[in-house]
Amino acid sequence: KAGVTQTPRYLIKTRGQQVTLSCSPISGHRSVSWYQQTPGQGLQFLFEYFSETQRNKGNFPGRFSGRQFSNSRSEMNVSTLELGDSALYLCASAPGQPYEQYFGPGTRLTVT
Amino acid sequence: DQQVKQNSPSLSVQEGRISILNCDYTNSMFDYFLWYKKYPAEGPTFLISISSIKDKNEDGRFTVFLNKSAKHLSLHIVPSQPGDSAVYFCAASETGTYKYIFGTGTRLKVLA
């Protein structure tokens, strides 16, 4: 079974721009979560989607948004990028909860 | 408010010995706990999980112990191998919240 895939793997953007990251979950997994990882902060929960519905959201500003499509693929969008948004963005999929999540390799976003 | 804490940022262990990684949590509603391993430039890899109805779960060289009264869990790796050198994250979830809270990680170095 193919794992979680994320595109692109690396991205460099300028302050003020917006960015869209994509995640394809493991086949059959309907839950997709997004996390931000920065040095010393661990993985910070952004949001979780299941069957196209956002079921929970972390403590991030409204500039961070996401969506899930009917095939369970998910995208997250960050508008008006700030330098502090530079991070590794990880997507994880699961059959539901409580089950272990399986992570993709992440998208490394650098904001200059 | 850091609900899941890994107070040791790093740990060094000799090959063949036991590695013990610790994790504390504050939310008594957490009922599912997981450990992940992460190598640089890769997403976290699921290792082992435990439900709050158990106090121990084993999988090969990995054993997780849960002490609910102390709100503490630990991961034992026996015997430790150089390939175990990575960052280890513990995570916790409350069923129905669709959200996993991660600790900040412990960097394990297994010395050959």
Side-chain angles (χ1 to χ4, degrees), chain B residues 13-70:
Chain B
V13 171
Q14 208 66 34
E15 180 180 6
R17 306 295 290 267
I18 184 172
S19 295
I20 300 176
L21 297 102
N22 294 304
C23 180
D24 297 296
Y25 61 96
T26 57
N27 187 344
S28 58
M29 299 300 291
F30 287 148
D31 57 5
Y32 191 62
F33 304 88
L34 311 92
W35 283 95
Y36 286 85
K37 175 172 72 173
K38 186 178 186 303
Y39 294 119
E42 295 182 12
T45 302
F46 170 73
L47 280 174
I48 192 169
S49 63
I50 187 166
S51 163
S52 60
I53 61 173
K54 294 186 172 182
D55 53 20
K56 178 182 174 181
N57 189 26
E58 286 182 83
D59 185 0
R61 297 186 298 115
F62 301 93
T63 302
V64 56
F65 294 91
L66 176 62
N67 183 333
K68 289 184 288 294
S69 60

Side-chain angles (χ1 to χ4, degrees), chain A residues 29-33 45-58 66 68 93-99 101, chain B residues 93-100:
Chain A
H29 286 189
R30 295 164 66 187
S31 169
V32 174
S33 298
F45 173 77
L46 280 156
F47 26 66
E48 190 265 2
Y49 287 89
F50 186 90
S51 293
E52 303 179 67
T53 300
Q54 185 183 89
R55 298 194 295 187
N56 205 338
K57 189 177 189 302
Q68 187 181 35
S93 76
Q97 193 194 38
Y99 292 99
Q101 294 183 315
Chain B
S93 175
E94 175 188 350
T95 300
T97 62
Y98 316 114
K99 180 178 177 177
Y100 294 81

Side-chain angles (χ1 to χ4, degrees), chain A residues 2-23:
Chain A
V4 178
T5 58
Q6 291 187 246
T7 56
R9 292 292 311 276
Y10 302 93
L11 206 50
I12 299 175
K13 289 286 188 178
T14 304
R15 268 181 303 176
Q17 288 186 314
Q18 73 163 14
V19 66
T20 299
L21 311 181
S22 182
C23 171

